[in-house]
Amino acid sequence: MRKDVLKPIHYLVMLSLLLSTALIFSGVTSVIAASIAITNPSFESNATGWTKVGSVSISSSDSHSGSYSAKSSASGGEFQQTISGLTANTSYTLKAWIKGQGVIGANNYGGSEVTAGGNAAAWTQFTVNFTTGSSNTSALIFARGTTSSDVRFDDFTLDSGTSSTPTPTSTATPTPTATPTSTPTPTPTPPTAPTLPSEVLYLKNWKITLPIPKQSGSTSPLEVLQPALNTYSIDPWFKVVHDADGYAVQFRANHGAVSTSGSSNPRSELREMKDNYTNGDSSSQMSWGSNDGKTHTMYIKQKVTHLTSVKPHTVVGQIHDANDDVTVFRVEGNNPGGVSTTAKIYITDGNNTHGYLLDSNYTLGTLFTVKIIVANGVISYEYNGQTVPYTQTKNVTGCFFKIGNYTQSNDSTAPGESPDAYAENWVYDYSVTHQ
């Protein structure tokens, strides 16, 4: 009789436990992230699947896992891979581990380039989120160095969708169980905040011209060359700044400043030199041609934060040849004589300052990217990751790139302007290649 009584009770207990479990997890929806294949994500097969740009290599001396990692030894050095087979209008999450100063990111997915990174003293995982466009089924992922020091990348992953952990909807008390012991997850070492422009931008192959006298009473501007440039900063003309978009270098030049002998306009601007140059003479200056059989590119990630009043114009990137500017990105405020909060961005063609209108209503303080590609005598452009339907055909030599802020204001072109009025540009990242 005892067994006949206990058996139904046993079944009732089991049924009660099952119902409690169902109550705990009822109504919970879990969207599981789908992993997207990346060729050779941990660089254990050398650089297979990746395109190398600039000063990069495979490192065997330090890795997050396995035996190898990717290494960049110059700002703009990149490993790139195009991921196909994605779904349009879909969110994706890219993750990778970084040691040193650099970023990971995605581009060519139907939106603006997105990046994440910093200056990590120990291996630290960073995450980038992006959503493909309405007709985009691929994306370019990359690892990019942002300083002259070595930076390593390892263990890329790419997932679509999001994952969620079921949340109990009942306060039913579970049967007590032993609490397992676990190893705490280590907290990554916080990135060290950069304090010098050379810690944000690779400067080994640049010199800078500043809107301040090279010495007291001089009418010539100060130029800072390597190796002094690597430890140089001066407020407010050339210094590190930071906001929600990350760390950048501030380039500022005021209307009443000194200028070079070839121009009446002041500048805080980098001039391309040969990598690891040793002096400022012509043998150290970068010089290339539009028809020299190579492809020359310059990418800049930046924002214009301020313009002068009377003539609110500035240049934020250019190609210069042996004699004059070839083509530049020119920003012109929409409220001359007042305070401009929006502006037009033009591509110039020699002396034609309005060769092509890139943006008629750019909002100051908004991040944007530009890219110039020179190959086989043709100059083409990109704006915010999109190809610009405009090219120029040029046969020029003695060329070099320039980055920063070249204020287009002086007493003859902007009479009545305050000497302290200034234009300012923040540069977050750049890359220059000659291949």
Side-chain angles (χ1 to χ4, degrees):
M1 289 294 294
R2 185 177 300 273
K3 288 183 179 180
D4 291 339
V5 171
L6 289 176
K7 186 177 288 187
I9 293 175
H10 175 69
Y11 288 148
L12 288 172
V13 171
M14 291 290 291
L15 179 61
S16 176
L17 288 172
L18 289 171
L19 288 173
S20 297
T21 302
L23 281 171
I24 291 173
F25 293 104
S26 64
V28 175
T29 300
S30 179
V31 180
I32 305 301
S35 181
I36 310 300
I38 298 174
T39 301
N40 190 24
S42 301
F43 304 95
E44 296 303 299
S45 299
N46 206 298
T48 300
W50 297 89
T51 298
K52 297 190 291 184
V53 178
S55 299
V56 297
S57 60
I58 299 298
S59 172
S60 60
S61 62
D62 197 352
S63 60
H64 175 254
S65 70
S67 301
Y68 301 97
S69 63
K71 182 175 75 172
S72 170
S73 301
S75 182
E78 283 191 11
F79 283 84
Q80 305 174 345
Q81 184 173 155
T82 297
I83 308 298
S84 302
L86 305 184
T87 304
N89 289 324
T90 301
S91 297
Y92 290 89
T93 299
L94 177 70
K95 295 182 180 181
W97 293 79
I98 301 177
K99 184 177 181 181
Q101 185 173 322
V103 297
I104 61 169
N107 207 340
N108 300 342
Y109 60 88
S112 300
E113 178 177 279
V114 290
T115 62
N119 189 2
W123 282 105
T124 304
Q125 190 177 48
F126 291 91
T127 301
V128 168
N129 297 302
F130 65 94
T131 301
T132 49
S134 59
S135 60
N136 296 86
T137 57
S138 64
L140 179 74
I141 63 171
F142 59 84
R144 179 186 298 152
T146 57
T147 181
S148 58
S149 301
D150 290 346
V151 55
R152 290 170 172 82
F153 307 89
D154 208 354
D155 295 335
F156 275 78
T157 62
L158 180 63
D159 297 307
S160 66
T162 57
S163 60
S164 60
T165 302
T167 303
T169 57
S170 169
T171 58
T173 303
T175 302
T177 58
T179 303
T181 59
S182 61
T183 303
T185 302
T187 302
T189 303
T192 302
T195 58
L196 293 170
S198 64
E199 296 172 332
V200 178
L201 304 177
Y202 177 69
L203 298 177
K204 287 296 182 65
N205 60 321
W206 300 90
K207 71 174 182 178
I208 190 167
T209 303
L210 292 161
I212 54 179
K214 64 180 181 181
Q215 57 193 27
S216 179
S218 175
T219 57
S220 298
L222 175 66
E223 289 194 334
V224 181
L225 286 66
Q226 287 290 2
L229 182 58
N230 222 36
T231 56
Y232 186 81
S233 175
I234 183 167
D235 187 12
W237 316 114
F238 178 64
K239 70 171 187 175
V240 174
V241 286
H242 179 261
D243 66 1
D245 291 315
Y247 287 95
V249 175
Q250 175 175 294
F251 295 84
R252 180 188 290 189
N254 61 300
H255 167 90
V258 294
S259 61
T260 61
S261 59
S263 173
S264 298
N265 297 320
R267 70 185 81 206
S268 176
E269 188 179 44
L270 296 170
R271 193 262 196 219
E272 187 184 17
M273 307 287 282
K274 292 181 179 178
D275 203 24
N276 294 309
Y277 69 96
T278 57
N279 57 66
D281 64 23
S282 59
S283 66
S284 293
Q285 296 174 354
M286 180 60 78
S287 178
W288 48 267
S290 59
N291 279 294
D292 62 4
K294 294 183 178 182
T295 298
H296 309 275
T297 67
M298 177 175 67
Y299 161 89
I300 313 173
K301 182 179 181 181
Q302 59 192 338
K303 66 173 60 167
V304 176
T305 59
H306 196 273
L307 292 170
T308 53
S309 176
V310 176
K311 185 188 176 189
H313 300 176
T314 194
V315 168
V316 295
Q318 59 174 304
I319 297 175
H320 205 286
D321 67 11
N323 300 307
D324 206 348
D325 55 287
V326 176
T327 182
V328 312
F329 294 103
R330 184 182 179 94
V331 180
E332 299 187 358
N334 286 329
N335 187 28
V339 176
S340 291
T341 58
T342 62
K344 295 179 177 64
I345 303 178
Y346 290 98
I347 295 171
T348 69
D349 181 2
N351 291 328
N352 179 5
T353 58
H354 297 162
Y356 182 84
L357 179 62
L358 273 179
D359 195 330
S360 63
N361 197 37
Y362 165 73
T363 300
L364 267 63
T366 303
L367 201 64
F368 69 98
T369 64
V370 291
K371 189 174 184 179
I372 304 178
I373 307 101
V374 186
N376 301 318
V378 177
I379 306 176
S380 54
Y381 307 84
E382 293 180 11
Y383 180 57
N384 288 333
Q386 303 298 311
T387 300
V388 176
Y390 171 77
T391 62
Q392 296 180 19
T393 301
K394 303 278 187 179
N395 184 15
V396 288
T397 58
C399 296
F400 51 92
F401 289 119
K402 304 189 84 173
I403 295 174
N405 181 71
Y406 180 22
T407 303
Q408 302 293 290
S409 179
N410 61 72
D411 284 342
S412 63
T413 62
E417 181 66 271
S418 167
D420 296 327
Y422 65 91
E424 182 179 277
N425 187 35
W426 289 14
V427 177
Y428 292 77
D429 193 14
Y430 86 91
S431 65
V432 166
T433 59
H434 304 281
Q435 297 179 320

